[in-house]
Amino acid sequence: MTLSTARTFRAGLVQLRSGRSVAPNMDMAEALIRRAAAGGAVYVQTPENTAIMELETERLLSEIEAEESSAPLARLQALAKELGIWLHVGSLGMKLASGKAANRSYLIAPDGEIAARYDKLHMFDVDLAGGESYRESRTFNPGAKAVLADLPWGRLGMSICYDLRFPTLYRALATAGADFIAVPSAFTKQTGEAHWRVLLRARAIETGAFVLAACQGGLHENGRSTYGHSMIVSPWGEVLAEAGEDPQILLADIDLALCAETRAKVPSLRHGREFEVEIAGAKVRPGGKAS
């Protein structure tokens, strides 16, 4: 039975293992979205790179389309409308006029219309141990703004994967009224084992918000391994649901009244202060130069 009252709803997270071909990825995503909706979820989130996991820039750009002609997006809009759910597509690659792509998250309303779009702000340009290296900025243009959206139960803050490492974004979302924050991801296995769980819990604790994070999981066709362990975390930092590595769904009942209760206990969002940083007598503003 669907849980949905003034401040409560059932959330569903879809964990995938997307490959290099769009059609089978979309078939798997649709099957799991349907299963989540059948389980009572009225908000369903998929992970980053829902339609394709591709590291080669030229091949990716040959597979994706501009938003107005995107077949995966149209299919997901039709599915949201059919099921009558809020469908949060973790991200789809969208071809841009610049010759690059946007790593773009979509919130689709139950009528099938796009309620919000968010382009990933922070590009994953890293060199990990063992020669594992990524240069997301070669393929994607970064976004330029944080995005929130009002749903029937509360306000959603949007983010994607590597954004998780930038706490100022999450504080900004929380101070703008976010009750729950989405972190659809394709976290690498190496970084996920070290940091995924603690970062998700930290972002929930710091913001007093629910954190919902659908993730890719397992060894992908492109040779990349992602961590999985999709997770739902309460404002107090409690893990309410956690997946393993294989494709699956997670369901949890969310009571957004807990956000206000948590923030009343520890009102850190109201206690932030401007400050300067002093180094050996030189005063430095955060992010600035010595004066």
Side-chain angles (χ1 to χ4, degrees), residues 52-120:
I52 188 170
M53 283 280 287
E54 178 55 67
L55 293 176
E56 296 178 12
T57 297
E58 289 187 6
R59 177 165 174 163
L60 176 67
L61 292 175
S62 72
E63 291 287 334
I64 65 174
E65 302 158 295
E67 181 179 299
E68 59 270 18
S69 55
S70 171
L73 178 59
R75 179 173 177 177
L76 292 164
Q77 287 181 265
L79 183 60
K81 185 175 182 179
E82 176 193 339
L83 298 175
I85 61 172
W86 289 87
L87 179 54
H88 189 163
V89 184
S91 83
L92 299 172
M94 289 293 162
K95 193 174 291 186
L96 301 174
S98 67
K100 289 189 177 183
N103 192 351
R104 183 170 295 163
S105 188
Y106 289 91
L107 178 66
I108 304 171
D111 62 2
E113 296 298 314
I114 297 169
R117 299 168 175 82
Y118 166 72
D119 287 0
K120 187 176 181 179

Side-chain angles (χ1 to χ4, degrees), residues 18-33:
S18 297
R20 303 177 79 183
S21 300
V22 171
N25 297 334
M26 292 300 299
D27 289 344
M28 175 60 74
E30 178 174 336
L32 291 176
I33 291 165

Side-chain angles (χ1 to χ4, degrees), residues 158-235:
M158 301 174 75
S159 70
I160 300 173
C161 199
Y162 189 50
D163 287 334
L164 183 60
R165 294 184 180 274
F166 299 85
T168 52
L169 169 61
Y170 294 85
R171 187 174 184 89
L173 292 171
T175 56
D179 301 295
F180 61 115
I181 300 175
V183 195
S185 300
F187 239 67
T188 70
K189 184 176 179 66
Q190 185 177 162
T191 58
E193 288 176 341
H195 302 145
W196 174 249
R197 213 169 189 271
V198 69
L199 285 173
L200 289 173
R201 294 189 66 220
R203 296 297 87 88
I205 293 165
E206 291 165 353
T207 61
F210 283 89
V211 170
L212 289 75
C215 195
Q216 297 276 354
L219 178 62
H220 297 262
E221 186 181 1
N222 65 9
R224 175 179 177 177
S225 289
T226 50
Y227 185 56
H229 293 265
S230 298
M231 196 176 299
I232 298 174
V233 186
S234 81

Side-chain angles (χ1 to χ4, degrees), residues 209-280:
F210 283 89
V211 170
L212 289 75
C215 195
Q216 297 276 354
L219 178 62
H220 297 262
E221 186 181 1
N222 65 9
R224 175 179 177 177
S225 289
T226 50
Y227 185 56
H229 293 265
S230 298
M231 196 176 299
I232 298 174
V233 186
S234 81
W236 198 247
E238 299 167 298
V239 177
L240 303 181
E242 182 176 356
E245 189 175 89
D246 293 330
Q248 59 195 274
I249 64 167
L250 286 184
L251 298 173
D253 294 334
I254 307 297
D255 182 357
L256 295 181
L258 292 176
C259 298
E261 292 179 17
T262 300
R263 291 168 180 173
K265 291 176 182 176
V266 184
S268 59
L269 292 176
R270 294 192 282 109
H271 290 165
R273 298 185 62 205
E274 294 292 328
F275 58 90
E276 294 182 344
V277 177
E278 185 173 323
I279 303 174

